[in-house]
Amino acid sequence: MRKPSSQHEILLHRHPHNPILTAADWPYPVNTVFNAGATLLPDGTTLLLCRVEDRRGISHLCVARSKNGVDGWQIDPEPTLMPDPVNYPEEIWGIEDPRITYVEELGKYVITYTSYSRGGPGVSLALTEDFRHFERYGVIMPPEDKDAALLPHRIGDFWALIHRPITPLGAHIWISYSPDLRHWGSHKMILEARRGAWWDANKIGLSPPPIETPEGWLVLYHGVKQTPSGAIYRVGLALFDLQTPERCLLRSDSWIFGPEELYERDGDVDDVVFPCGYTIGPDGDTLNLYYGAADTCIALATGSISALLDWLKENGRPSGWENM
Ligand code: BMA
């Protein structure tokens, strides 16, 4: 089994209790639990909105709550949000990989998730105040598109969504703007997958929602390397301008987090770490990153936002064609 090299700076530390949630914890029969959105409730409870795959292969979402974000999880006794293909035909093959953004202007959580339609995966949006009642807006980005998250406030007059359409140009990260969260335009590609042997060649996507810092939007993104024994999903860093989030300021050359432990290397899909959510500690700097491991379980890694920024300033460079 490959082990991490001690030569590399470790920016994200795996929790010793990993994996923190597995199918065995679920109050009803499921195949796997992974790729969870995350948020901190006003009373300090960590809420994970977990992707749960049943034994048909179809995913739904289920809430797990914990006081310390590590253990003592209270899991909803039944699925929290099921696909509703009668009213939303795009959800026929399930709903997956939620990202949660709390939007103060609305006093609501905005959930962006993958709806798996007959035409492929698209991006759907739902609002909630309590993670019990949800208002669906339906598809906001048609297939093929996924890995979407909303920025928590308007940029100028417009909401901004980061997402990952697949176009004839490839699987790159885009931004789009909307006056009302329903109608989207001014689409721009903001981060391009590299090519050839790179760890993030040909296919990248946003991981959790961007982290707002005084230096810019810190973006953790996943890169997918195709190998003869399958794909490897790893995570890298980029920084975008606060006022003009389509402007990439820095991008890391190397990944910062990849599959190393057995629960990340071996599962329904081997060699996958896939973060969809985080919480920030009371110090404003500690990042608790929740990630799906091998499409089978949920794990936690902890880091420091300022250390990630420092590392990126030291090791990143402006993103451009010369890096491709
Ligand atoms: C991606 C996403 C994730 C999944 C990953 C690895 O395309 O759909 O849901 O974790 O593949 O299988």
Side-chain angles (χ1 to χ4, degrees):
M1 182 64 59
R2 168 161 48 84
K3 290 305 274 181
S5 153
S6 56
Q7 309 291 321
H8 298 117
E9 193 176 340
I10 297 175
L11 294 167
L12 293 168
H13 301 270
R14 290 169 174 83
H15 198 281
H17 293 175
N18 276 351
I20 56 161
L21 281 167
T22 73
D25 298 309
W26 240 248
Y28 54 91
V30 304
N31 175 47
T32 45
V33 297
F34 54 117
N35 302 2
T39 195
L40 218 46
L41 299 179
D43 69 355
T45 301
T46 297
L47 180 144
L48 296 185
L49 186 60
C50 309
R51 172 175 172 190
V52 178
E53 191 184 286
D54 65 24
R55 290 184 57 150
R56 298 171 302 164
I58 308 291
S59 292
H60 62 268
L61 308 183
C62 186
V63 165
R65 294 175 175 82
S66 157
K67 288 217 155 46
N68 62 10
V70 176
D71 52 22
W73 295 97
Q74 301 284 318
I75 301 168
D76 280 1
E78 288 174 6
T80 310
L81 191 65
M82 281 293 276
D84 177 11
V86 172
N87 297 304
Y88 298 89
E90 67 274 8
E91 298 184 1
I92 178 120
W93 290 329
I95 56 178
E96 307 178 346
D97 301 357
R99 272 75 165 187
I100 302 171
T101 303
Y102 181 70
V103 178
E104 213 164 284
E105 181 186 325
L106 306 174
K108 290 179 184 170
Y109 300 88
V110 173
I111 303 162
T112 43
Y113 57 95
T114 302
S115 42
Y116 197 167
S117 77
R118 287 184 201 279
V123 176
S124 289
L125 183 147
L127 301 175
T128 187
E129 286 176 57
D130 55 9
F131 290 91
R132 296 184 204 285
H133 308 95
F134 298 86
E135 184 189 357
R136 277 169 159 99
Y137 278 19
V139 176
I140 56 163
M141 291 292 161
E144 181 163 348
D145 204 327
K146 54 165 68 168
D147 299 328
L150 186 75
L151 298 190
H153 53 76
R154 294 173 196 257
I155 304 296
D157 292 336
F158 296 96
W159 301 107
L161 185 86
I162 316 279
H163 58 114
R164 203 289 307 282
I166 296 204
T167 71
L169 288 180
H172 312 298
I173 299 179
W174 289 61
I175 194 166
S176 302
Y177 297 93
S178 168
D180 57 5
L181 297 178
R182 290 185 186 272
H183 304 93
W184 294 89
S186 301
H187 313 288
K188 293 189 181 79
M189 187 161 73
I190 60 168
L191 197 71
E192 208 168 334
R194 284 178 267 218
R195 302 197 203 138
W198 282 90
W199 68 274
D200 56 353
N202 305 319
K203 190 177 187 182
I204 58 172
L206 180 71
S207 285
I211 303 166
E212 191 167 10
T213 78
E215 319 222 19
W217 299 98
L218 181 62
V219 164
L220 285 87
Y221 74 96
H222 55 267
V224 186
K225 178 162 172 137
Q226 296 296 336
T227 80
S229 59
I232 307 176
Y233 280 71
R234 303 186 178 105
V235 176
L237 285 183
L239 187 69
F240 291 84
D241 186 80
L242 268 189
Q243 275 83 41
T244 317
E246 58 214 51
R247 231 183 100 216
C248 182
L249 305 173
L250 288 172
R251 177 187 197 167
S252 66
D253 273 352
S254 46
W255 70 84
I256 60 158
F257 195 65
E260 288 168 3
E261 296 296 332
L262 188 57
Y263 55 88
E264 299 161 348
R265 298 221 54 206
D266 185 15
D268 270 9
V269 182
D270 295 348
D271 288 317
V272 179
V273 291
F274 202 90
C276 289
Y278 58 82
T279 61
I280 296 176
D283 60 3
D285 187 56
T286 301
L287 182 73
N288 302 306
L289 186 68
Y290 293 92
Y291 63 100
D295 283 14
T296 298
C297 56
I298 297 172
L300 167 63
T302 301
S304 145
I305 295 171
S306 50
L308 290 172
L309 281 169
D310 287 347
W311 181 86
L312 184 56
K313 280 188 263 172
E314 187 80 6
N315 294 279
R317 38 183 183 143
S319 155
W321 281 100
E322 69 281 8
N323 295 338
M324 304 289 171

